[in-house]
Amino acid sequence: MRLNKKISDSSLETTQNRLGVSRRGFLKGTTLAAGGIAASGLLGKGMVRPVEAATPKSSAPVEVKRTICTHCSVGCGVYAHVQNGVWTYQEAAFDNPINRGAHCAKGAALRYHGHSTRRLKYPMKLENGQWKRLSWEQAISEVGDKIEQIRAESGPDSVFWLGSAKFNNEQAYLFRKMVSLWGTNNVEHQARICHSTTVAGVANTWGYGAMTNSYNDMQNSKSMLFIGSNAAEAHPVSMQHVMIAKERNNCRIVVADPRYTRTAAHATQYVRIRPGSDVAYIWGLLWHIFENGWEDRQYLAQRVYGMDEIREEVKQFPPSVVEDITGVDEKTMYDTAKLLSDNRPGCIVWCMGGTQHTTGNNNTRAYCILELALGNIGKSGGGANIFRGHDNVQGATDFGVLSDSLPGYYGLAEGSWRHWAGVWGVDYDWIVNRYDQTEYRGGKPMHTNGITVSRWIDGVLEDKEKMAQNDNIRAMFYWGHAVNSQTRGPEMREAMKKLDMMVIVDPYPTVAAVMNDRTDGVYLLPACTQFETYGSVTASNRSIQWRSKVIEPHFESKPDHEIMYLLAKKVGIADEVFKNIQVNGDEPLIEDIVREYNRGMWTIGYTGQSPERLKYHQENWHAFDFTSLRGVGTDAHGEFYGLPWPCWGTAEMRHPGTHVLYDTSLPVKDGGLGFRANFGVERNGETLLAEGSAPVGNEIGDGHPEFTANMLKQLGWWDDLTDAEKAAADGKDWKTDLSGGIQRVAIKHGCAPFGNGKARTIVWTFPDAIPKHREPLYTTRRDLVAKYPTWDDFESLYRMPTLYKSIQDRDTSAEFPIILTSGRLVEYEGGGDETRSNPWLAELQQDMFVEMNPFNANTLRIADGDDVWVYGPEGGRVRVKALVTNRVDRDVAFMPFHFGGEFQGEDLRSRYPEGSDPYVLGESVNTVTTYGYDPVTIMQETKCTVCRIEKAA
């Protein structure tokens, strides 16, 4: 199938590309047109042209602004050139220590996002099926009046606040604070449906649910296992670090994936596994590791709890069983286990291919257990390198834009609320009275998990008598969110129709504006891009990078934090939300927001990164080492770039940040740590504290609990506090002492404030204490269901009934015989609203498609490029192009998840506000994906459902 149309000589003369440079002009600007290749005649007829004058350039002064890419979580630095307020040129930052001058296609196209004509230009509402222009005053007034009416009639939980991984850190923090003072925990963002199972699974293994090392540190790896990660397309610039390891260390790369990806093309070994069989695959590797004695026994004895129980579980997965479940033969399993064991330190990398399952928490915990068995955690070149998706999904998670926690993973207990009430300077009882005081299943709404983004649909449609809140969801804010990234599209449309009001806050109208099948009650509020504001953003490796404002807000768009202020003011909570934050006009001061969260985020160490320190790192990109991220010279000498959390204590302590989590080879003051003592001190007569292992310089010299005021007194260290610190710290612990004194004194004596514990392989509070293989709800292997069944249905999870066995009991395998999985393309990001509206990217990928194996295509008489219907077992269907390829085997089909604007064969282009429709539309894969949720975090199942493919008439 041809990828490009043949262009005639005459069109070559006149056609200008979208960058404003002709093909001839491009050649003229290179040495090729005048040099040896042209002279040798290797360039064909019409490809060499006479020299012409260069296109004139503006003589206006150039300002160079430093910013960070707004796509994936790698965090690439960008130099933006601005003339007379216009962004005229960009280049990848050659001295940024993360990307060092590299860009992917999306990063290279950022400039267009800053001035795209496809963006929303002013507030609008849908009235009688037509988009009507509003003033900001009118829009805020109408939206505010409606949510206050709903609050009075149904309570604060009937408004759902869906935030964004595209917020900067300050906006994410402010959003959670605003919603908390509105009086609900029905607040979420994309992390729920991308890495919530990572955060829960990993945090419950060793303390923090984040990437342990960094992209840069992967240069030190001797082996890597990519499972459920296609980094070459999803995180392209990360691959430079992978390739350095391959060149420098002869790093062995294993890619385990149902699909042969672009990442697999770089692998030492590619392993094709059946979707949904990750736990069995990991247990199969551990079977060989334990059988041959390749585990790190000293490491396990000193730093890990419960590995003997894992050994017993693994015994149930000998090679024959593993091959039956995963499809991987014994020799391949043995070779992979030996490769990983012989080449240490090694790391594991996973993304949504591992997390988006009903068994997502089991998967992520199994990955961690493998790395613990090999002794790879807490070592340079090792680690669990979790590649997050969006540019600030890590930060938005850290700041609690989720229904189960306040900022900093403090949870929702009374003590947590009192802590943040103290930071905010707001009366605790006033906050309590903002909430519904009724007792439901599990308690009062203030202290119970809210509804998740993965199930807001059910929050609208479910029988309210079965819900653990007063009423259904009646209004939705879609604030920087792509609804086509969520499963169960047909039911989503029904939920949208039932809502009283939809409010979309975004630079683009998004799929939510057009798939809803409504004629009124939809508001569009134009938020500006992150290039039209400033603040910090947290990369996947926990480094916090500062963005400068590149350009002023375009059209009538406003920064997200200004829109939050206007809404808070309208509903009467602005005085409380902005008590400690200066507001200039209507725009809250970003630096004040940083200083406020610095006073409260002690749990994960967002306290030492003052605005001044972050800006200094931004201004001195060149001063940080490309591998170690250590500052060399300057005032940041010895600090890790971006002060990756935890950056303990106050900014005045000058903690350098923590590059590699749980690394005991460094003193805590220099970035060292043991595992967090977060699970108690003893279980079943066995210690949960480290034995014979501690960070260098730890004066206790062994395992110890987390620090409290009483512990300082018992150790005789209390008098190391100042009088002011004593007054603030008495009766507190390292998480709630607002003076930072407890942290300062613990670190002075070489101790991590969070203690020195063991990682655990058994999570006794989870549905599966030990990770289990369970068949997906929709499985084509019905013969395995009896032995590896899903869970029984739950009466209430996150406020709603949640189905498991009753779904799996329905056998759909005959009618829907192909496993359907989904993933990313390098050209697009997320739901694709922004990137499909960028002509430079839209030109590269113009059609939604399904990858199908040649055997299936030939059997169904489908040719490459044909239109086909893909049907799901819950009634959804999509019309897409067939891409016939051996990248998938006979049992699997693959579809990307970046498309929208078509719905079950219906073209929705005419429903967009005039001039705002993306260049490329397509069906969403999530129109055919199905019901299924992880019971710990309510992660949606998108990587393992079933489908049927038919040729379209």
Side-chain angles (χ1 to χ4, degrees):
M1 190 167 69
R2 292 186 66 87
L3 297 178
N4 297 295
K5 296 179 180 178
K6 186 174 181 180
I7 299 174
S8 67
D9 286 353
S10 60
S11 66
L12 191 65
E13 291 279 0
T14 58
T15 301
Q16 297 282 316
N17 70 18
R18 290 188 173 98
L19 287 170
V21 181
S22 68
R23 290 172 171 82
R24 179 184 61 233
F26 171 76
L27 288 170
K28 178 195 65 187
T30 71
T31 58
L32 296 180
I37 293 180
S40 69
L42 292 177
L43 297 180
K45 178 184 177 183
M47 295 184 71
V48 181
R49 299 292 182 213
V51 174
E52 297 176 353
T55 303
K57 292 184 178 180
S58 171
S59 60
V62 176
E63 294 180 86
V64 179
K65 307 292 184 70
R66 297 182 179 216
T67 189
I68 303 298
C69 180
T70 54
H71 291 298
C72 82
S73 68
V74 173
C76 296
V78 180
Y79 283 117
H81 294 229
V82 179
Q83 296 174 274
N84 288 336
V86 178
W87 189 357
T88 58
Y89 178 74
Q90 76 171 78
E91 58 181 324
F94 60 90
D95 55 351
N96 180 280
I98 291 178
N99 63 307
R100 193 184 260 185
H103 256 346
C104 70
K106 295 186 292 291
L110 288 176
R111 184 171 65 87
Y112 191 87
H113 183 38
H115 60 252
S116 172
T117 57
R118 298 285 171 171
R119 285 171 48 180
L120 293 174
K121 298 172 181 63
Y122 36 77
M124 285 184 279
K125 73 173 178 180
L126 191 64
E127 191 174 86
N128 297 322
Q130 301 296 317
W131 292 108
K132 176 182 176 181
R133 182 173 182 172
L134 302 176
S135 68
W136 270 103
E137 292 76 12
Q138 185 179 1
I140 293 294
S141 178
E142 291 185 16
V143 169
D145 285 345
K146 188 64 177 178
I147 62 174
E148 288 190 295
Q149 176 195 338
I150 291 171
R151 180 189 179 93
E153 294 172 353
S154 298
D157 290 319
S158 284
V159 179
F160 194 102
W161 304 78
L162 180 43
S164 186
K166 294 301 183 187
F167 290 154
N168 62 32
N169 284 326
E170 294 68 43
Q171 293 163 342
Y173 169 79
L174 190 62
F175 189 76
R176 188 37 160 123
K177 181 182 181 183
M178 176 184 72
V179 176
S180 299
L181 299 187
W182 161 263
T184 187
N185 288 320
N186 285 341
V187 53
E188 285 275 294
H189 81 289
Q190 289 89 341
R192 178 69 59 189
I193 55 174
C194 62
H195 271 286
S196 64
T197 46
T198 290
V199 175
V202 177
N204 277 282
T205 300
W206 50 55
Y208 285 149
M211 187 177 190
T212 61
N213 294 46
S214 71
Y215 298 107
N216 302 67
D217 185 67
M218 291 174 71
Q219 297 174 32
N220 299 313
S221 299
K222 294 183 179 177
S223 65
M224 300 178 191
L225 170 59
F226 288 81
I227 182 165
S229 167
N230 180 15
E233 293 203 71
H235 305 85
V237 176
S238 73
M239 291 299 289
Q240 69 172 322
H241 302 290
V242 175
M243 301 313 291
I244 288 171
K246 197 171 183 181
E247 294 167 7
R248 180 185 296 164
N249 310 325
N250 195 23
C251 179
R252 308 303 206 277
I253 299 171
V254 178
V255 173
D257 201 290
R259 175 173 172 257
Y260 188 83
T261 64
R262 293 184 182 181
T263 308
H266 295 286
T268 309
Q269 182 180 58
Y270 167 64
V271 182
R272 192 187 296 278
I273 66 172
R274 182 172 69 99
S277 65
D278 298 54
V279 171
Y281 175 71
I282 296 297
W283 286 173
L285 293 176
L286 281 172
W287 190 92
H288 289 287
I289 289 168
F290 291 149
E291 187 78 5
N292 291 280
W294 293 333
E295 71 272 26
D296 189 331
R297 294 181 181 180
Q298 181 180 2
Y299 182 96
L300 294 176
Q302 293 180 324
R303 304 192 67 188
V304 180
Y305 169 84
M307 193 60 81
D308 287 342
E309 287 84 345
I310 299 299
R311 291 177 190 273
E312 292 304 309
E313 180 72 16
V314 166
K315 286 178 181 178
Q316 301 175 44
F317 290 82
S320 59
V321 171
V322 171
E323 183 170 2
D324 184 39
I325 296 172
T326 68
V328 185
D329 63 85
E330 179 175 359
K331 183 179 185 305
T332 301
M333 294 299 299
Y334 174 88
D335 289 347
T336 304
K338 191 172 192 307
L339 180 153
L340 298 175
S341 301
D342 287 348
N343 295 277
R344 292 184 251 191
C347 69
I348 190 167
V349 179
W350 73 82
C351 296
M352 294 190 295
T355 64
Q356 288 182 332
H357 295 267
T358 55
T359 55
N361 266 283
N362 285 351
N363 291 350
T364 61
R365 290 172 54 215
Y367 305 155
C368 294
I369 290 167
L370 172 64
E371 293 307 290
L372 288 170
L374 294 172
N376 279 329
I377 303 300
K379 296 181 180 178
S380 178
N385 287 324
I386 304 142
F387 288 9
R388 301 299 297 263
H390 292 290
D391 61 313
N392 201 38
V393 69
Q394 183 63 57
T397 304
D398 296 337
F399 285 102
V401 187
L402 292 164
S403 65
D404 54 355
S405 185
L406 290 165
Y409 309 96
Y410 275 83
L412 300 171
E414 180 180 332
S416 304
W417 282 102
R418 288 190 180 277
H419 168 75
W420 280 108
V423 174
W424 297 333
V426 177
D427 180 68
Y428 172 74
D429 291 330
W430 181 89
I431 300 175
V432 170
N433 289 326
R434 297 290 297 168
Y435 284 77
D436 179 359
Q437 296 301 303
T438 309
E439 289 268 358
Y440 301 96
R441 297 181 191 90
K444 294 181 179 180
M446 182 176 181
H447 303 298
T448 56
N449 298 340
I451 295 171
T452 63
V453 59
S454 48
R455 297 200 63 194
W456 71 262
I457 300 165
D458 297 310
V460 178
L461 300 176
E462 183 62 81
D463 178 356
K464 69 179 180 180
E465 298 302 319
K466 297 179 180 179
M467 297 172 61
Q469 65 178 48
N470 183 58
D471 201 350
N472 294 98
I473 295 169
R474 294 178 54 190
M476 286 286 303
F477 282 88
Y478 306 90
W479 203 316
H481 182 81
V483 295
N484 49 315
S485 64
Q486 293 179 241
T487 56
R488 301 165 60 201
E491 290 171 276
M492 183 184 296
R493 174 177 270 193
E494 294 306 307
M496 287 177 167
K497 288 194 289 187
K498 188 179 177 184
L499 287 167
D500 290 30
M501 180 176 67
M502 297 172 57
V503 184
I504 299 161
V505 189
D506 200 279
Y508 297 87
T510 79
V511 172
V514 298
M515 72 166 284
N516 54 68
D517 213 20
R518 297 173 65 104
T519 58
D520 55 29
V522 182
Y523 289 83
L524 302 180
L525 305 183
C528 65
T529 70
Q530 288 296 322
F531 304 117
E532 294 151 272
T533 185
Y534 71 102
S536 69
V537 59
T538 305
S540 199
N541 72 303
R542 297 166 286 104
S543 284
I544 303 169
Q545 300 189 89
W546 194 263
R547 283 190 180 122
S548 297
K549 180 190 282 189
V550 176
I551 50 179
E552 292 299 318
H554 274 29
F555 314 113
E556 293 182 19
S557 66
K558 293 181 180 293
D560 293 286
H561 52 294
E562 181 175 339
I563 302 171
M564 293 174 205
Y565 173 74
L566 294 173
L567 268 175
K569 185 178 178 182
K570 169 62 182 172
V571 300
I573 58 175
D575 288 347
E576 289 77 15
V577 175
F578 298 96
K579 183 175 182 179
N580 306 317
I581 300 165
Q582 179 180 323
V583 179
N584 299 316
D586 290 329
E587 184 172 356
L589 183 64
I590 288 290
E591 288 84 351
D592 277 359
I593 302 174
V594 178
R595 294 183 184 103
E596 181 173 285
Y597 68 64
N598 284 163
R599 293 197 295 274
M601 295 278 285
W602 302 98
T603 43
I604 55 173
Y606 263 92
T607 52
Q609 305 98 335
S610 65
E612 293 75 20
R613 292 185 80 189
L614 293 175
K615 290 177 184 180
Y616 188 84
H617 280 223
Q618 183 210 36
E619 292 159 3
N620 290 276
W621 281 344
H622 64 280
F624 295 90
D625 184 81
F626 185 54
T627 302
S628 71
L629 293 180
R630 282 274 195 190
V632 181
T634 74
D635 292 345
H637 182 72
E639 296 178 354
F640 294 110
Y641 174 64
L643 302 169
W645 64 261
C647 182
W648 298 115
T650 62
E652 291 72 29
M653 273 182 58
R654 304 292 299 186
H655 188 271
T658 307
H659 182 199
V660 176
L661 291 175
Y662 321 120
D663 180 1
T664 57
S665 71
L666 293 174
V668 176
K669 68 180 179 61
D670 293 330
L673 288 175
F675 289 124
R676 183 177 177 182
N678 199 37
F679 315 118
V681 298
E682 184 181 87
R683 182 169 174 81
N684 297 331
E686 186 175 343
T687 183
L688 296 176
L689 302 179
E691 298 180 89
S693 173
V696 170
N698 181 304
E699 293 183 15
I700 296 175
D702 208 342
H704 58 81
E706 60 183 2
F707 274 82
T708 65
N710 285 339
M711 185 171 167
L712 286 186
K713 293 173 183 178
Q714 291 167 7
L715 290 167
W717 298 347
W718 180 251
D719 286 338
D720 290 348
L721 296 171
T722 67
D723 289 343
E725 287 173 337
K726 287 179 181 179
D730 205 17
K732 303 289 187 179
D733 63 25
W734 68 283
K735 304 184 294 291
T736 57
D737 167 23
L738 300 188
S739 76
I742 292 177
Q743 290 199 5
R744 181 183 65 79
V745 171
I747 293 169
K748 175 184 175 182
H749 291 277
C751 301
F754 66 23
N756 183 24
K758 286 184 175 179
R760 64 173 178 174
T761 64
I762 304 169
V763 181
W764 45 85
T765 56
F766 276 15
D768 287 340
I770 293 173
K772 302 283 186 184
H773 168 68
R774 295 182 182 273
E775 280 296 298
L777 299 191
Y778 289 95
T779 177
T780 58
R781 289 293 306 274
R782 301 300 303 180
D783 57 309
L784 295 176
V785 170
K787 189 171 183 181
Y788 307 107
T790 189
W791 297 274
D792 291 334
D793 296 351
F794 286 80
E795 182 182 358
S796 184
L797 290 176
Y798 286 77
R799 302 193 179 183
M800 285 186 296
T802 307
L803 308 179
Y804 292 91
K805 187 177 185 299
S806 59
I807 299 277
Q808 194 179 65
D809 283 349
R810 177 186 166 210
D811 183 356
T812 61
S813 58
E815 189 178 357
F816 300 94
I818 298 174
I819 300 169
L820 176 63
T821 191
S822 63
R824 290 179 182 264
L825 301 175
V826 71
E827 297 88 356
Y828 295 142
E829 169 76 7
D833 296 297
E834 170 192 327
T835 43
R836 287 183 288 105
S837 298
N838 186 320
W840 306 338
L841 297 171
E843 185 176 6
L844 303 176
Q845 184 61 256
Q846 298 181 24
D847 293 303
M848 175 56 169
F849 59 87
V850 58
E851 288 184 357
M852 57 188 305
N853 184 270
F855 177 88
N856 294 333
N858 294 339
T859 301
L860 296 169
R861 307 300 189 263
I862 293 171
D864 188 50
D866 281 353
D867 284 351
V868 297
W869 284 103
V870 181
Y871 295 87
E874 293 180 353
R877 64 173 190 160
V878 295
R879 184 178 178 124
V880 297
K881 297 288 185 184
L883 198 166
V884 181
T885 174
N886 282 305
R887 286 197 288 262
V888 293
D889 68 16
R890 300 181 186 186
D891 301 320
V892 176
F894 166 87
M895 296 170 70
F897 59 71
H898 309 296
F899 290 82
E902 295 178 5
F903 190 79
Q904 301 197 100
E906 178 187 1
D907 189 329
L908 305 178
R909 190 176 292 277
S910 63
R911 299 191 182 190
Y912 284 90
E914 184 178 359
S916 68
D917 50 314
Y919 292 102
V920 171
L921 304 182
E923 297 266 17
S924 168
V925 63
N926 288 313
T927 302
V928 292
T929 53
T930 49
Y931 190 102
Y933 303 98
D934 177 277
V936 178
T937 67
I938 317 299
M939 166 64 79
Q940 64 185 14
E941 174 112 82
T942 65
K943 301 309 182 199
C944 194
T945 187
V946 292
C947 70
R948 180 178 77 253
I949 303 174
E950 295 180 2
K951 188 171 183 176

